[in-house]
Amino acid sequence: MKRSTFLKTTSLAAAPLLLNGLSVYANTSTGNSLFDKLAQTAYGCGRVLVIVQMNGGNDGLNTIIPRDQYTNLANARPTIKLPEAAILPLTGNANTGMHPAMNELRGLYDDGKMVIVQGVSYPNPSYSHFRATDIWFSGSASNENLDTGWLGRTLDTNYPNFPADYPNVQMPDPVAVQIGSTSPFSLQGPSINMGYNVSDPNALLQVINETTGPAPNNDYGRELTFLRLMKDQSNAYRNSLQAAYNAQATLSPNYPASGNSLADQLKIVARLIGGGLKTPVYIVNHPNTHDTHNDQVIAGNTASGYHANILSILSKAIAAFQDDIGRMGKAELVTGMTYSEFGRRIIENASKGTDHGVAAPVMFFGAGLSAGVLGVSANIPATATVNSQVSMQYDFRQLYSTVMQDWLCLTQAEAQNVLGSNFTKLPIFNPAILPIEAITLTGQYYDGRSVLHFVVENNNNYSKFVVEYSTDGQNYTAVRTINQTSQKPIDNYDYTHEINITKVFYRINGTLNSGATKYSDVLQLRAASGQQLISVYPNPVRNNRINVKFLERATDEVDITIYDVLGAKLYYNRFRGNTSLISFSTTQSFTSGTHYILEARFAGVVAREQIIFE
């Protein structure tokens, strides 16, 4: 999309897409500078992060209950306390329980698919919804104020030549998809508001089905219908969203039939993930406020009421989503986390509610976690006062740093650059889980033929693979279908394509047993004099010193990754562009005589070279 075109259609692009009646913001940004940076760097990492926003300040003490502090908590909350017998116990943790409305999440915890981080906040916290949300979204200190939107800063710093160069071969899908809300300030850049900023709950399904909302049956209405359709069709990501959504049906029977829009949002996210969309970050929004100043419970039946209802919505939605992506074979590639801008005070107020407080628990869900509870129960005084608070145990930026490094493949230096300081990681993720790209494609061009090799992780989840090629990196043609018959967990495939051309692009289209599609990265080969986009020397590598030479000068930043033959990521770093040679040393241990794959991402393509170490 050219910049002139983008500027002319900004007001059109500002309208959300709609899937099943829910507005979906398919942006090159999440509206959150931290998650935008994560999304950009994580592209191709193969992992997905789902953020569940619980706006309003959730009452953590009524969500994750300190059973070992129950007597003091009951004294502080005589009217709204839960009956002790109603609290759901957690397997292996006698000190902590869950609200009885969260039975489905308790099941995830007991199955080893949940981590609870206690006491999350930051120094000198704000009790303002707007300011606290801004702090969480920007990752700033409480005394730091920003005068630009999250998306505006992201587009200004993270997306060179936006929007002229997007989408492209390397990034054909949205960097992030946000469903259910909009935040105009988050989209404000230094000079232009660049994104979807209308919260109409009617529009990605209309795009997918190429239909429009009702309009008057007259000349004006027919013109309006036509303009709406043209607006939706102008969306740069319509085709990829449409293809992914239609490629994967919902598989879980556990989604609530009605009355749970969070579940509806997560159902869309599951279909997009299952359908092969490469988007690494999704944000969904709980439909209800968590600002429970009054009537938080029903008097005399405190296990029910408003807070119980919104926790039930959360629990059923997340559990159904987790079941769905598990049935799609994606469970180990996806993790989710909840967030709310602050917690509530320890004592109840006079209106059967709670007022703004400090720290609250954050919940992670997924199959790639080191399940359990991090931290201890909140310290509840025997006689709590209005000034008694749930104290901070962990800075929320520790969670961000952990997600960046242990899930979304950033280095410590990159995480520190994003956050402006170094924050200690937490043991949230299972180090044995290494879900990277399921199909890794390599190849070389020799004398009129492309010799392709691809490695498939979770091979037995696939039914077939289609080798596709393109001369322009945009339009692909199938040249060979390879049926999957080995049933090995990891397998290797080869194909030789006879073709005489100066430059050619390849990708592998894998069909999962569920019917969903998974693509490999795009591989570009050059035919001129047998030269490739990159060459690595010396090869074998000596003393862990590696030189990567580029056939054409790499003007963009270059991401260098080294994988083993099973696809496990062993090394990653980002280097400055505008160079023809990158030289670096690694501190990792590589086995002598073993083959590895060095991958370089730059200028919208991926180049790979097989290397060995002396």
Side-chain angles (χ1 to χ4, degrees):
M1 181 184 288
K2 300 298 184 184
R3 181 172 292 274
S4 59
T5 304
F6 179 84
L7 294 175
K8 291 177 182 178
T9 59
T10 299
S11 61
L12 300 181
L17 307 177
L18 194 81
L19 283 175
N20 279 353
L22 292 171
S23 54
V24 179
Y25 301 94
N27 290 320
T28 50
S29 171
T30 68
N32 180 327
S33 61
L34 290 173
F35 296 134
D36 291 340
K37 181 66 175 177
L38 300 185
Q40 183 198 14
T41 308
Y43 189 87
C45 180
R47 301 171 186 177
V48 178
L49 176 67
V50 179
I51 312 295
V52 180
Q53 296 183 183
M54 301 165 64
N55 299 313
N58 182 53
D59 183 4
L61 287 176
N62 200 47
T63 303
I64 305 299
I65 297 97
R67 297 174 66 197
D68 55 342
Q69 299 277 319
Y70 182 80
T71 298
N72 289 352
L73 181 64
N75 291 336
R77 297 182 168 195
T79 303
I80 69 170
K81 68 177 183 293
L82 288 167
E84 188 171 13
I87 299 171
L88 299 177
L90 300 181
T91 299
N93 191 313
N95 297 330
T96 310
M98 283 188 181
H99 192 287
M102 299 168 62
N103 189 54
E104 297 83 4
L105 284 184
R106 193 267 299 267
L108 285 184
Y109 181 93
D110 289 347
D111 288 342
K113 296 178 181 177
M114 194 170 183
V115 170
I116 299 167
V117 185
Q118 297 274 34
V120 180
S121 187
Y122 51 91
N124 301 311
S126 171
Y127 300 124
S128 161
H129 292 293
F130 299 105
R131 178 63 186 141
T133 298
D134 185 37
I135 290 170
W136 271 80
F137 265 176
S138 66
S140 69
S142 61
N143 61 353
E144 181 183 7
N145 291 286
L146 303 173
D147 58 4
T148 58
W150 313 302
L151 173 58
R153 294 197 306 275
T154 299
L155 295 179
D156 187 51
T157 59
N158 293 347
Y159 294 94
N161 299 319
F162 180 87
D165 293 346
Y166 297 87
N168 55 38
V169 174
Q170 185 184 15
M171 193 175 291
D173 300 333
V175 169
V177 169
Q178 180 175 340
I179 304 179
S181 76
T182 184
S183 184
F185 175 72
S186 71
L187 307 174
Q188 182 59 51
S191 60
I192 188 172
N193 190 289
M194 306 169 78
Y196 300 111
N197 58 6
V198 178
S199 57
D200 183 335
N202 253 337
L204 193 47
L205 193 58
Q206 291 177 358
V207 171
I208 284 176
N209 295 326
E210 299 185 26
T211 61
T212 63
N217 186 23
N218 53 34
D219 290 343
Y220 165 78
R222 286 185 286 274
E223 290 296 327
L224 178 60
T225 298
F226 175 78
L227 289 173
R228 286 173 174 172
L229 182 58
M230 293 302 99
K231 172 203 69 177
D232 292 339
Q233 290 179 332
S234 72
N235 187 279
Y237 297 108
R238 180 180 63 84
N239 289 337
S240 62
L241 289 165
Q242 183 183 58
Y245 184 81
N246 289 333
Q248 176 65 65
T250 299
L251 299 181
S252 175
N254 297 336
Y255 288 107
S258 61
N260 190 324
S261 71
L262 179 60
D264 295 338
Q265 295 171 53
L266 287 171
K267 184 187 297 186
I268 293 173
V269 172
R271 288 186 64 168
L272 294 175
I273 294 171
L277 204 69
K278 290 187 175 182
T279 298
V281 175
Y282 294 84
I283 297 180
V284 295
N285 289 266
H286 196 295
N288 301 92
T289 180
H290 292 68
D291 198 19
T292 51
H293 287 286
N294 57 277
D295 296 324
Q296 182 171 319
V297 301
I298 294 177
N301 186 13
T302 55
S304 61
Y306 181 81
H307 198 234
N309 291 339
I310 61 177
L311 292 180
S312 176
I313 288 171
L314 180 80
S315 179
K316 288 180 169 56
I318 291 177
F321 170 78
Q322 191 66 40
D323 179 63
D324 208 7
I325 59 172
R327 294 170 186 260
M328 295 175 186
K330 300 284 188 177
E332 290 188 347
L333 301 177
V334 182
T335 198
M337 64 178 289
T338 65
Y339 106 90
S340 196
E341 63 265 34
F342 43 64
R344 318 297 290 188
R345 294 183 185 270
I346 291 176
I347 66 169
E348 65 183 36
N349 59 30
S351 302
K352 298 197 299 293
T354 50
D355 297 324
H356 298 183
V358 177
V362 168
M363 295 175 282
F364 285 82
F365 55 93
L369 302 171
S370 293
V373 176
L374 296 180
V376 298
S377 297
N379 181 30
I380 311 295
T383 305
T385 70
V386 69
N387 295 318
S388 299
Q389 293 282 7
V390 176
S391 59
M392 182 184 83
Q393 299 182 50
Y394 300 103
D395 192 302
F396 75 102
R397 289 163 291 188
Q398 290 182 262
L399 278 60
Y400 284 179
S401 183
T402 304
V403 168
M404 291 178 197
Q405 297 180 65
D406 291 351
W407 190 249
L408 295 178
C409 309
L410 276 70
T411 65
Q412 180 182 0
E414 288 172 325
Q416 183 172 338
N417 183 58
V418 171
L419 294 172
S421 186
N422 187 34
F423 291 89
T424 305
K425 293 193 304 178
L426 303 177
I428 294 172
F429 297 99
N430 184 346
I433 301 297
L434 298 171
I436 64 167
E437 288 186 11
I439 306 175
T440 302
L441 173 63
T442 60
Q444 294 288 333
Y445 188 90
Y446 299 100
D447 193 23
R449 61 182 59 183
S450 298
V451 180
L452 306 177
H453 177 78
F454 59 99
V455 180
V456 181
E457 192 177 51
N458 297 319
N459 174 69
N460 49 351
N461 289 336
Y462 288 85
S463 60
K464 65 179 180 180
F465 307 96
V466 178
V467 181
E468 300 178 350
Y469 85 102
S470 170
T471 59
D472 60 5
Q474 299 290 336
N475 302 297
Y476 284 82
T477 301
V479 293
R480 177 67 182 272
T481 298
I482 302 173
N483 292 321
Q484 193 285 106
T485 58
S486 71
Q487 296 300 312
K488 295 179 181 178
I490 299 175
D491 209 353
N492 298 264
Y493 298 85
D494 298 282
Y495 176 67
T496 298
H497 182 212
E498 296 190 1
I499 183 173
N500 287 297
I501 198 167
T502 302
K503 180 171 64 176
V504 62
F505 301 85
Y506 289 95
R507 68 184 185 187
I508 306 300
N509 179 346
T511 301
L512 290 159
N513 295 327
S514 64
T517 296
K518 172 72 177 181
Y519 284 97
S520 71
D521 273 331
V522 172
L523 174 69
Q524 183 186 130
L525 300 180
R526 295 294 185 94
S529 303
Q531 291 180 300
Q532 300 306 307
L533 286 175
I534 64 170
S535 60
V536 180
Y537 69 92
N539 195 2
V541 176
R542 293 191 294 270
N543 300 320
N544 279 18
R545 183 69 183 178
I546 299 174
N547 301 285
V548 181
K549 185 177 181 180
F550 299 88
L551 176 62
E552 297 177 352
R553 193 173 190 84
T555 56
D556 294 340
E557 291 179 321
V558 180
D559 292 318
I560 299 290
T561 309
I562 298 176
Y563 301 97
D564 67 17
V565 293
L566 300 181
K569 180 176 291 188
L570 305 177
Y571 172 86
Y572 168 82
N573 205 351
R574 171 166 288 182
F575 297 89
R576 291 182 180 274
N578 195 28
T579 183
S580 297
L581 176 67
I582 290 176
S583 298
F584 62 97
S585 296
T586 71
T587 58
Q588 282 87 339
S589 297
F590 295 92
T591 304
S592 177
T594 299
H595 289 270
Y596 297 90
I597 296 170
L598 184 144
E599 172 188 279
R601 294 172 176 265
F602 63 101
V605 297
V606 177
R608 295 188 175 101
E609 183 76 50
Q610 193 172 66
I611 62 175
I612 60 174
F613 288 78
E614 284 189 344

